[in-house]
Structures are given as structure tokens and as C-alpha cells.
Amino acid sequence: MPRGNAPQTKVHYHGKDEDFVIYVDGSKAVQDWKKDRSIPLAQVVSGFKIFVTHKHGAQSVGDEASKSTLENEFGTHNEDECMIKILEGGNVQDTESGERQGPKNDSMGTRSAH
């Protein structure tokens, strides 16, 4: 069975100085949360980490955002408050990673010439 082809949903927020990304459980979860704020963030967000892409857009691999970066952008370093602002103002993006490609067994077991 191929691995790595699971769907991923993230919210991309284009800030003043940086781009921020959080991973969520699905676009429907974000839509439901926007309609009903009594839904806990834990049922919307996949892991409570905020990533910064250093202005390389939503497709870039991000680093975890520092407290000072969050403070500069959102006026607070409280991650829950920052996530709410990202969910409110960000763009939801659904992606599906393709199957992993490449060699399955580099050593080729006993067939490898030594």
C-alpha cells in the first residue's frame, strides 16, 4: 500500500512581515468553527503549532514561529489567540500529497555488489 498520500488541510495567513501556517482537521471543521465558536480549537486544529514560512508562501516548509514573531504580528504570543486570528483571516487549503517515489531498498539486499 502506498504511503504519504493522505489529504492535508492547512490555513495560510499572509501577515505584514511573515506568512503563517497551521494544520487543521479539514476545511469542514474550520467552516463549522466559524459558524459556531463554542466548538473547541482542539476539534479544529491538528497539533497546536504555528509555522512561519519566511515569506515563501503556503507551499514552503516552515519553521515553528517564535514568541517574538507572534508578538510582532498579532500583538500577543498566546498561541490560542494567534490561531484564532489565523483561522479568522487565513485561507483554507486542501492538498493531497502524492505517493512517495524513489528507491525502496537502496542496499538491494544480497544482490548488491560489494
Side-chain angles (χ1 to χ4, degrees), residues 52-86:
V52 62
T53 65
H54 307 292
K55 284 294 196 191
H56 291 146
Q59 303 307 318
S60 174
V61 176
D63 298 323
E64 191 170 350
S66 67
K67 288 184 179 190
S68 63
T69 304
L70 296 175
E71 185 76 40
N72 290 339
E73 182 67 38
F74 301 107
T76 180
H77 63 271
N78 181 312
E79 291 189 0
D80 288 351
E81 292 177 26
C82 294
M83 285 185 186
I84 288 171
K85 291 180 181 181
I86 292 170

Side-chain angles (χ1 to χ4, degrees), residues 3-39:
R3 294 179 296 165
N5 58 346
Q8 260 187 352
T9 305
K10 57 187 168 184
V11 178
H12 174 251
Y13 178 88
H14 184 74
K16 296 177 292 194
D17 298 321
E18 295 286 353
D19 288 357
F20 297 88
V21 173
I22 59 173
Y23 290 92
V24 294
D25 290 338
S27 56
K28 183 174 180 347
V30 175
Q31 290 170 357
D32 291 347
W33 177 83
K34 285 183 177 183
K35 292 176 190 170
D36 180 10
R37 295 293 176 94
S38 67
I39 297 173

